[in-house]
């Protein structure tokens, strides 16, 4: 069991949990900032989490749900107050209603995570700050301490798994729900360069091409919220295929870690998708995650069946090879 102490202080309205691990500091930090890893232990056994947003940056937001063995779902959120890479971060943690918004009927709390090296590996100290003694007692009665012990007891296995989320695994698609999928890849390059490569037309024309033999004659980039974008591709001479493209609107933009856009194929009827791009610094470079929300499960399956993920991997490999050098 990694937890070495749990201390409650009713006068200071805090609960402090200290946990020690054999893993090094960078590895411990990564399991908190990578949603694919965090959701493997953020929740007691039998109640796995699914993070549909995880910004891991000051001013950012995370949303997640825990799903029980009978299918019941419990939502939560983090509001990121501050981040000091490899040293600590602070969030406001609370319960969320089914639409992902904070539940005003339930208490929220401030969590401060401190990471440090130890004689045997690394340590994380989590201090929870409550607003009132009643809230502290309410959450303890709801099983908060037991839930933390059970959840963090799963971390050793996550930390020991160095292969499932290692850089170099390529582009991976995970189904989050009937209408959502998360596409992730570690890009070997700093976050500012990866962001720039997604927002500079000249750079995008060098890598955002899918299979070899295609060109990008139209690359109208949206850089301000509310602007429209339009991208078109066509085959080079001697390459089979027909010209196609996508268009949409930039809904959110927080450089260098988050951009949200709508997307629909030019000339195709029906609703498009909502694409949420998140960039997170990790030891190997930048973790890129795109959460795509589809109109329905049938549309999700049809789009994924086109080979979209393979095309993205080809483009990301080109990004590393031809742009981030």
């Amino acid at each position: 069991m990694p937890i070495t102490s749990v201390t409650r202080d009713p006068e200071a309205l805090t609960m402090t949990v200290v946990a020690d691990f054999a893993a090094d500091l960078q590895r411990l930090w990564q399991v908190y900032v990578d949603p694919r890893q965090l959701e493997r232990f953020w929740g007691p056994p039998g109640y796995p989490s699914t993070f549909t947003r995880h910004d891991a940056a000051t001013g950012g937001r995370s949303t997640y749900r825990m799903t029980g063995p009978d299918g019941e779902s419990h939502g939560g959120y983090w509001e990121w107050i501050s981040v000091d890479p490899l040293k600590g971060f602070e969030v406001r943690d609370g319960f969320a209603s089914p639409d992902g918004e904070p539940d005003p009927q339930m208490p929220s709390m401030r969590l401060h995570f401190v990471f440090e090296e130890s004689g045997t590996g690394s340590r994380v100290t989590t201090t929870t700050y409550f607003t009132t003694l009643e809230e502290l007692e309410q959450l303890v009665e709801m099983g908060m301490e037991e839930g933390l012990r059970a959840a963090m007891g799963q971390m050793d296995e996550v930390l020991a798994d160095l292969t499932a989320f290692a850089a170099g695994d390529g582009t991976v698609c995970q189904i989050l729900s009937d209408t959502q999928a998360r596409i992730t890849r570690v890009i070997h390059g700093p976050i500012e360069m990866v962001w720039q490569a997604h927002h500079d037309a000249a750079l995008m024309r060098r890598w955002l091409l899918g299979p070899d033999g295609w060109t990008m004659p139209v690359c109208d980039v949206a850089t301000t919220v509310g602007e429209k974008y339009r991208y078109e591709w066509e085959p080079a001479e001697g390459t089979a295929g027909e010209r196609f493209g996508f268009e949409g609107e930039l809904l959110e933009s927080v450089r260098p870690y988050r951009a949200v856009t709508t997307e629909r194929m030019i000339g195709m009827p029906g609703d498009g998708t909502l694409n949420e791009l998140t960039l997170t610094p990790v030891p190997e470079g930048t973790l890129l995650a795109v959460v795509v929300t589809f109109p329905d499960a049938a549309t999700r399956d049809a789009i994924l069946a086109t080979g979209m993920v393979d095309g993205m991997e080809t483009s990301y490999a080109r990004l590393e090879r031809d742009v981030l050098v």
Side-chain angles (χ1 to χ4, degrees):
M1 179 65 67
I3 291 181
T4 55
S5 69
V6 178
T7 306
R8 274 182 271 167
D9 187 337
E11 293 186 359
L13 301 178
T14 62
M15 182 169 72
T16 301
V17 178
V18 179
D20 286 279
F21 302 93
D24 65 37
L25 185 61
Q26 284 196 337
R27 180 75 183 115
L28 180 60
W29 175 265
Q30 191 172 23
V31 301
Y32 279 90
V33 299
D34 184 340
R36 305 168 302 173
Q37 301 182 64
L38 178 60
E39 62 191 13
R40 296 175 63 190
F41 70 87
W42 193 255
Y47 286 81
S49 293
T50 301
F51 276 77
T52 54
R53 178 175 174 179
H54 191 54
D55 292 345
T58 301
R61 187 178 181 85
S62 299
T63 55
Y64 64 91
R65 63 179 182 275
M66 297 179 185
T67 304
D70 296 325
E72 71 274 22
S73 183
H74 307 275
Y77 70 91
W78 286 0
E79 294 174 349
W80 289 75
I81 300 169
S82 63
V83 182
D84 190 357
L86 297 179
K87 294 182 179 179
F89 63 88
E90 191 171 356
V91 300
R92 176 157 295 280
D93 174 78
F95 296 85
S97 55
D99 62 1
E101 293 301 313
D103 186 343
Q105 305 302 316
M106 296 297 291
S108 64
M109 64 218 80
R110 183 164 54 91
L111 304 182
H112 187 201
F113 297 81
V114 175
F115 297 78
E116 56 188 337
E117 295 179 343
S118 67
T120 57
S122 57
R123 171 180 298 153
V124 58
T125 301
T126 306
T127 303
T128 304
Y129 295 85
F130 301 90
T131 305
T132 65
L133 181 60
E134 290 73 23
E135 288 184 358
L136 187 159
E137 292 174 340
Q138 177 187 1
L139 289 165
V140 169
E141 289 176 2
M142 291 172 62
M144 178 179 179
E145 181 177 331
E146 291 79 4
L148 277 171
R149 288 183 179 274
M152 297 189 76
Q154 305 168 105
M155 287 182 63
D156 279 332
E157 182 177 350
V158 179
L159 288 164
D161 184 0
L162 298 176
T163 59
F165 300 104
D169 279 355
T171 304
V172 177
C173 179
Q174 296 170 278
I175 303 300
L176 301 182
S177 69
D178 284 346
T179 58
Q180 287 188 314
R182 181 174 61 214
I183 299 162
T184 56
R185 191 188 195 278
V186 172
I187 306 294
H188 293 86
I191 186 171
E192 280 286 354
M193 290 184 64
V194 177
W195 174 272
Q196 187 68 14
H198 281 77
H199 294 86
D200 183 296
L203 295 178
M204 293 171 68
R205 283 191 168 102
R206 292 171 56 188
W207 70 270
L208 190 57
L209 301 171
D212 292 336
W214 286 76
T215 63
M216 194 178 187
V218 177
C219 185
D220 298 329
V221 183
T223 57
T224 303
V225 171
E227 286 185 346
K228 308 288 186 180
Y229 71 88
R230 186 181 179 96
Y231 308 144
E232 295 184 33
W233 294 266
E234 66 180 8
E237 185 176 352
T239 300
E242 297 181 357
R243 184 165 175 152
F244 72 98
F246 293 95
E247 59 186 358
E249 180 181 350
L250 179 62
L251 302 182
E252 296 180 41
S253 180
V254 184
R255 183 184 184 125
Y257 72 88
R258 178 171 170 83
V260 182
T261 58
T262 60
E263 179 181 278
R264 64 188 308 275
M265 194 169 187
I266 297 171
M268 293 294 290
D271 296 326
T273 63
L274 180 72
N275 300 344
E276 300 177 71
L277 168 70
T278 302
L279 302 179
T280 305
V282 294
E284 300 87 355
T286 301
L287 172 64
L288 177 149
V290 182
V291 175
V292 183
T293 301
F294 303 87
D296 49 57
T299 303
R300 179 201 69 190
D301 293 343
I303 291 177
L304 293 180
T306 63
M308 177 185 77
V309 176
D310 290 340
M312 293 174 73
E313 169 57 24
T314 300
S315 289
Y316 292 144
R318 187 182 294 112
L319 169 61
E320 290 182 331
R321 184 184 68 242
D322 297 345
V323 178
L324 304 179
V325 293

